[in-house]
Amino acid sequence: MTEFPFSDLPAIEPGHVWLAGAGPGDPGLLTLLAAKALGEADVIVHDALVNEECLKLARPGAALEYAGKRGGKPSAKQRDISLRLVELAKSGLKVLRLKGGDPFVFGRGGEEALTLVEHGVPFRIVPGITAGIGGLAYAGIPVTHREINHAVTFLTGHDSSGLVPDRIDWEAIAKGSPVIVMYMAMKHIGRISAQLIAGGRSASEPVAFVCDAATATQKVLETTLGEAERAVAASGFEPPAIVVVGEVVRLRPSLDWLGALSGRKLVGDPFAGDNRKDTA
């Protein structure tokens, strides 16, 4: 095996757990530290959204354990996954818990880390590129653009019960956040759209759904808040998806760099001439 560069990077120690993010899909978005961990771990406990190409970096003989949780499908219970990490670490193994995106952004990494603390297991967090940033970038949609927004809200479209979270102040978000990025929201987009419109958002506001973000099967649906539910149903698109609401969606015809590689002709700045230039 080729010697890994950056030899001063930390190494997984026996009895330790690393909670690492694999990014939104493209294996090239792995961090150096996550890639190094893949080549060192004795066992890799991975999620459903981790690209299988990433797992090819595992060292020969490493055990791969699937611990994916997908809505509406049989899945391991979170407490059982957390306790499995404890069990593996207590047996003296080098454990890598590999998650899609970032472990601390709607990834249950905090829950698993707290269980490790509870049982005295040392751990390290290896952040990854979350889909709400990297997945949208692969669709040519920036989460911030200084001519449009100086704030962005990230939220989840369902809670542990599988329903739209009732603790979210939808009216406050509708009024206060120019760009809203939603994880796990496709299933409930009708109710969410209605809440945002009731809170003051325009039904004509641009919305984009990015399915299988940063993978070879990535698909993007552009619609409006008022038409979102109908458009998703007609598209046949399925989760996993990241959803973004806001004027930044209008930048996609100009910034769809991935589409341009396949021949799409990009257009000029859609906001050129607007009186909203930020000189700061």
Side-chain angles (χ1 to χ4, degrees), residues 224-272:
T224 63
L225 201 55
E227 290 292 315
E229 183 177 24
R230 182 204 60 77
V232 168
S235 72
F237 283 14
E238 296 285 344
I242 197 79
V243 185
V244 56
V245 178
E247 289 293 296
V248 289
V249 175
R250 290 177 56 194
L251 286 160
R252 186 165 188 266
S254 302
L255 301 180
D256 182 16
W257 61 272
L258 197 57
L261 295 177
S262 300
R264 179 176 186 177
K265 182 176 177 57
L266 301 182
V267 302
D269 183 355
F271 300 106

Side-chain angles (χ1 to χ4, degrees), residues 55-255:
L55 300 177
K56 292 180 180 179
L57 294 175
R59 69 168 182 80
L64 302 178
E65 292 194 10
Y66 176 80
K69 295 179 71 64
R70 297 295 297 274
K73 298 180 181 180
S75 304
K77 294 182 179 179
Q78 183 57 57
R79 184 63 176 172
D80 292 339
I81 295 172
S82 299
L83 291 176
R84 178 59 177 162
L85 298 177
V86 172
E87 179 185 15
L88 292 168
K90 291 289 188 181
S91 67
L93 297 174
K94 302 175 184 178
V95 184
L96 174 61
R97 174 66 167 121
L98 192 64
K99 296 170 170 289
D102 180 282
F104 274 8
V105 181
F106 303 118
R108 300 188 178 94
E111 296 173 50
E112 293 173 359
L114 287 171
T115 300
L116 297 174
V117 171
E118 178 186 348
H119 292 270
V121 175
F123 66 94
R124 173 184 286 270
I125 303 299
V126 181
I129 298 174
T130 184
I133 296 174
L136 292 182
Y138 266 55
I141 302 171
V143 292
T144 67
H145 190 73
R146 69 176 183 168
E147 296 172 21
I148 298 171
N149 66 309
H150 293 83
V152 58
T153 294
F154 295 89
L155 60 86
T156 177
H158 71 73
D159 57 21
S160 58
S161 69
L163 303 176
V164 176
D166 57 12
R167 288 184 291 179
I168 292 179
D169 188 337
W170 293 102
E171 182 177 0
I173 290 174
K175 292 180 178 177
S177 185
V179 173
I180 306 167
V181 178
M182 297 183 281
Y183 296 68
M184 299 168 284
M186 180 178 277
K187 180 180 178 182
H188 300 299
I189 194 60
R191 181 178 173 189
I192 292 171
S193 297
Q195 296 260 37
L196 291 173
I197 292 171
R201 298 304 270 255
S202 170
S204 62
E205 185 165 9
V207 177
F209 295 80
V210 184
C211 298
D212 297 327
T215 71
T217 58
Q218 175 178 291
K219 299 179 291 295
V220 181
L221 172 65
E222 295 177 62
T223 181
T224 63
L225 201 55
E227 290 292 315
E229 183 177 24
R230 182 204 60 77
V232 168
S235 72
F237 283 14
E238 296 285 344
I242 197 79
V243 185
V244 56
V245 178
E247 289 293 296
V248 289
V249 175
R250 290 177 56 194
L251 286 160
R252 186 165 188 266
S254 302
L255 301 180

